[in-house]
Amino acid sequence: MAYSIVLDVGGTQIKAAALDEHAGLLCEIQSFPTLAQSSQDVIWGQLVRAISTPVESLLSARGLPQGVAMTFPGPFGFETGISLMRGLSKFDAIYGMSVPKALRERLSPWKLETVPLLFLHDMEAFALGMCRHTEVGRHERVMHLCIGTGSGSAFTE
C-alpha cells in the first residue's frame, strides 16, 4: 500500500496531496497558507502541517509514506535542501537553513524523521508531470510555461 506525500510549496500557498504508486490521488488536495513572510517557527509549522495532515488521514490504513516530495520556487539548493531565497518577500527567515534537518526534527511525532525527502524546482516538477501524465509526453520537444504568483519556464526533450 505504498504512497508518497507531495507538496507544492509556493510563496502564498502550500498544496498537499497523497499519491499512490501510480500517481493516483488518495485524498483531497489540501491547501495551507505558506505564511512565507513569517518567522522560522511559523514557516516550519506550516510545512509540518501540510505533510502531517495527509499522513494522519492514511496512517492507520497505509502506514508511513515512502517519501515526501516538495517543489519550491528558486533560488533553492535542490540537492541539499537549503533555502537560498532572500530579499524576495518570501522565506527570508529560513535563508541558509537546511529544510530536511528542520523538518526531520519537527516530524518525529509522526515517526517521519527517516522518510526520504526530495526537492524539485516547481517548474521542473510541473514539466515532468505534464510529460508523464498528459498527451504532452508524446511530443519530442516541449516548452512549458507557468504564470501564477511568479512565472517560470522549462524545456523537455
Side-chain angles (χ1 to χ4, degrees):
M1 303 260 225
Y3 73 101
S4 298
I5 302 298
V6 294
L7 301 183
D8 177 14
V9 181
T12 56
Q13 295 289 312
I14 304 169
K15 292 172 197 73
L19 303 178
D20 67 19
E21 60 273 11
H22 306 291
L25 197 58
L26 295 174
C27 59
E28 185 176 320
I29 296 172
Q30 298 186 333
S31 187
F32 305 89
T34 304
L35 305 176
Q37 295 178 336
S38 299
S39 69
Q40 292 174 23
D41 287 338
V42 171
I43 293 169
W44 299 135
Q46 289 302 92
L47 287 167
V48 167
R49 183 174 164 217
I51 295 167
S52 63
T53 299
V55 169
E56 286 176 354
S57 71
L58 295 167
L59 195 56
S60 62
R62 291 188 173 252
L64 293 176
Q66 284 184 313
V68 177
M70 293 174 256
T71 69
F72 275 87
F76 191 90
F78 296 100
E79 290 182 17
T80 62
I82 294 177
S83 176
L84 301 173
M85 288 175 265
R86 180 169 55 182
L88 301 173
S89 298
K90 59 183 174 187
F91 301 112
D92 285 318
I94 63 169
Y95 174 79
M97 298 183 74
S98 170
V99 175
K101 183 177 187 274
L103 289 180
R104 288 187 196 292
E105 292 169 359
R106 290 163 175 81
L107 289 169
S108 61
W110 294 273
K111 303 196 183 325
L112 293 170
E113 60 268 19
T114 60
V115 171
L117 302 175
L118 170 70
F119 301 93
L120 290 171
H121 188 281
D122 52 3
M123 198 57 221
E124 177 186 11
F126 171 77
L128 292 172
M130 289 297 293
C131 285
R132 180 160 185 202
H133 299 289
T134 71
E135 297 294 315
V136 167
R138 294 191 299 158
H139 298 284
E140 194 171 314
R141 294 182 193 168
V142 181
M143 182 173 82
H144 307 266
L145 300 172
C146 279
I147 301 172
T149 306
S151 62
S153 63
F155 300 92
T156 53
E157 184 173 19

